[in-house]
């Protein structure tokens, strides 16, 4: 067992924290005109400004020393080479192989996985071209107009987030729906908007055993048959993305229409694989390839770049700095880009499912905090809602602001207003507003001394609230690929520092089992032996079921 808190590098950070805890960023900026140059880095089209953090050069050196101690690059190379770093599932973790160019090769257990990846990608690309060009038609000969991706968790959040993020690249004759929730309202709302003759359903499930996805897929199939189509038409309208050929076939989908991937692709890391079929259909193969290319560039940056200029390493170290030393328990993602509105939800799964763990690789319990609660909404909306707490609440909540200099929809002055808000928020969070500044402002506005004394404390902003800004020229497929890979590797680095297996998800597996008994008893109308809360909740529902019929 590695005792993180006993490492000399960790203890040095702990003592240093007490020394710099009260330093104000506004003073550090005033004293060092080059602070931005010192604490910013660029790679793969992304500028990371991390100067508005509560760090000095010494802090940063100590954080880098921790990264060196953990030997992040060595660990990353083990992952990239296909070592079975997901020990609890005895699997390699090779989402990086999904974006390697076909000129490369990677032998894992004697197989060249890059060759396999590109063979499957070609299969998907051919299908995608046929659908987008109207060559693949529905059973009545009409071209496909609607695509419904049925999947949940990693088989939903990534594709949905990217299709939204890259909407300006969406095929103009195709519309997309994503159905994930087992709540019948989700599939019903989608089915109400589509025409069976012109719809393609993608059933996306790595295991093809996930209850919600199978229930939604069954409902979609029945709706399709009820619309007048017969079984032979299913092959034209239902395709699967899975690693489980047997279950796909049992469901009734022709395995010729199945797009494969591998158990070494984790669900939340799978958008680069066949799980990205809906993305390919949405933005086309060339744009999908550009996204892969951007991600691959970030992979290379991550393994080749020294730590102080390495974007994933820097972001990860800053997260550890606040989480473990300042005891920050949550972390905000604020994309100032409406198309990135699902990015926080996507990152929530990526980060919290990967590092929401409390045992180390060897099973020993950690005695330090691990993954933070991650949340967020696009700016400027967040400013009119939860930003109040970030500015004046009692918690320290670090935030990543993500934006682009160019808009996909340059309407009037909108984009400059968006950027002004984004930049001004980070400045305000850093500087705050002191009591004397507030008093001077109030007096200048004509307030009496009494009024000033009463109001001033409410208008004080402590400031010193850390932010990173991730700025790019434009959110293109390539930049988005790099941005996603950046966060994937940030999660990897933090997982390594905390000694976790970031690639299993036993909490999700539990959820997959838990409902079975309750469902059986709801069906039978007789709650079994449970605690009084569980029994009464079930009885309430059973009672209402009978009244409804
Ligand atoms: C992701 C998780 C989880 C998974 C879903 C769907 O890393 O494992 O979110 O993606 O539970 O699983 P299937 O793709 O197997 O249906």
């Amino acid at each position: 067992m590695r005792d993180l808190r006993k490492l000399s590098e960790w203890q040095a950070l702990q003592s240093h924290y007490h020394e710099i805890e009260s330093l104000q960023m506004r003073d550090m900026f005033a004293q060092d005109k080059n602070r931005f140059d010192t604490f910013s880095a660029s790679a793969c089209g992304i500028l990371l400004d991390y100067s508005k953090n509560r760090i000095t050069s010494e802090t940063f050196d100590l954080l880098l020393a921790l990264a060196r101690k953990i030997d992040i690059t060595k660990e990353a190379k083990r992952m990239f080479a296909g070592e079975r770093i997901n020990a609890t599932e005895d699997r390699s973790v090779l989402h990086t192989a999904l974006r390697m160019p076909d000129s490369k090769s990677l032998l894992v257990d004697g197989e060249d996985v890059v060759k396999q990846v590109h063979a499957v990608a070609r299969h998907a690309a051919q299908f995608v071209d046929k659908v987008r060009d109207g060559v693949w038609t529905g059973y009545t000969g009409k071209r496909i107009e609607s695509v419904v991706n049925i999947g949940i968790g990693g088989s939903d959040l990534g594709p949905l987030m990217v299709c939204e993020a890259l909407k300006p690249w969406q095929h103009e004759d195709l519309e997309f729906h994503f159905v994930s929730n087992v709540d019948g309202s989700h599939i019903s709302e989608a089915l109400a908007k589509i025409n069976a003759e012109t719809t393609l359903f993608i059933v996306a499930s790595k295991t093809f055993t996930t209850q919600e996805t199978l229930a939604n897929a069954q409902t979609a199939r029945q709706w399709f048959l009820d619309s007048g189509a017969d079984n032979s038409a299913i092959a034209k309208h239902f395709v699967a993305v899975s690693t489980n050929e047997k279950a796909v076939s049992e469901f009734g989908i022709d395995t010729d229409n199945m797009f494969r991937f591998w158990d070494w692709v984790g669900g939340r890391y799978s958008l680069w694989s066949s799980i990205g079929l809906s993305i390919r259909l949405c933005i086309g193969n060339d744009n999908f390839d550009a996204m892969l290319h951007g991600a691959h560039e970030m992979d290379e940056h991550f393994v080749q770049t020294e730590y102080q200029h390495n974007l994933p390493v820097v972001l990860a170290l800053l997260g550890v700095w606040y989480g473990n030393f300042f005891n920050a328990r949550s972390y905000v993602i604020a994309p100032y880009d409406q198309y990135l509105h699902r990015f926080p939800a996507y990152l929530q799964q990526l980060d919290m499912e990967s590092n929401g763990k409390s045992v180390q690789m060897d099973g020993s319990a950690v005695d330090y905090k691990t993954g933070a609660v991650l949340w967020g909404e696009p700016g400027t909306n967040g400013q009119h809602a939860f930003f109040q707490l970030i500015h004046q609440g009692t918690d320290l909540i670090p935030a990543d602001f993500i934006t682009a200099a160019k808009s996909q929809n340059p309407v009037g002055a909108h984009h400059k207003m968006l950027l002004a808000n984004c930049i001004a928020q980070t400045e305000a969070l850093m500087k705050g507003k002191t009591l004397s500044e507030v008093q001077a402002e109030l007096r200048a506005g004509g307030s009496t001394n009494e009024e000033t004394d009463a109001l001033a404390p409410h208008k004080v902003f402590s400031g010193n609230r850390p932010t990173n800004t991730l700025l790019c020229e434009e959110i293109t497929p390539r930049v988005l690929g790099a941005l996603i890979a950046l966060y994937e590797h940030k999660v990897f680095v933090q997982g390594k520092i905390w000694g976790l297996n970031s690639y299993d998800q036993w909490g999700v597996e539990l959820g997959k089992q838990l409902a079975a008994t309750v469902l059986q008893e709801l069906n039978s109308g007789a709650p079994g032996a449970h605690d009084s809360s569980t029994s009464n909740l079930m009885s309430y529902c059973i009672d209402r079921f009978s009244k409804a019929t």
Side-chain angles (χ1 to χ4, degrees), residues 152-155 205-208 210 267-268 349 353 505 508 512:
I152 195 165
S155 300
S205 175
K206 179 176 170 181
T207 56
F208 228 78
T210 304
R268 54 196 173 277
Q349 183 193 24
E353 204 167 279
Q505 54 283 311
V508 180
K512 291 187 178 185

